[in-house]
Amino acid sequence: MLVELGPQKVIDTPRRMGIRSPLQPNLSLALGTSEVTPLEMAAAFATLAAGGVYAEPVAITRVLDVLPGARGRRASARVREVRAGRDVRAAGLEGGAAGCGALSGSGTARRQPP
């Protein structure tokens, strides 16, 4: 694609997706040879997830409590209990993808006699 369109046309796409770092207009661009920041990558992937609509990332600097009586106080960090909901082996999930039939088959091909 880079050869057909040319590197500069290809660079225009990440620019529209929030990548501002310098991108070198050469054929190795397709291999990811230009450096970008994690924030730029997040913005680009968010653009893909939003169906191609770019929204500039913003930093959340504070979170206010809006519960009645809180009057906009800074939200407190609550300590919460974290525990396993169920033993993985008991739930039948120990095989990962194999446990759901993805590797052994579960459709029409599986029902066919050998």
Side-chain angles (χ1 to χ4, degrees):
M1 181 192 286
L2 270 165
V3 173
E4 290 178 20
L5 297 176
Q8 194 54 53
K9 276 200 168 234
V10 172
I11 287 174
D12 292 342
T13 299
R15 290 283 180 247
R16 290 192 307 268
M17 297 172 68
I19 305 289
R20 301 291 174 247
S21 294
L23 300 175
Q24 301 303 317
N26 53 44
L27 296 179
S28 66
L29 182 65
L31 302 174
T33 55
S34 294
E35 295 180 10
V36 298
T37 68
L39 182 61
E40 289 173 322
M41 287 301 293
F45 279 110
T47 301
L48 292 174
V53 178
Y54 171 75
E56 184 177 0
V58 295
I60 298 173
T61 59
R62 64 184 173 161
V63 177
L64 300 178
D65 198 338
V66 295
L67 294 175
R71 296 191 183 137
R73 289 189 308 242
R74 182 174 250 160
S76 62
R78 296 182 183 105
V79 177
R80 59 189 171 117
E81 179 185 354
V82 178
R83 59 184 165 79
R86 188 168 181 191
D87 182 42
V88 175
R89 289 167 295 193
L93 300 175
E94 71 276 5
C100 70
L103 299 179
S104 60
S106 59
T108 305
R110 185 174 174 100
R111 290 191 298 265
Q112 299 296 327

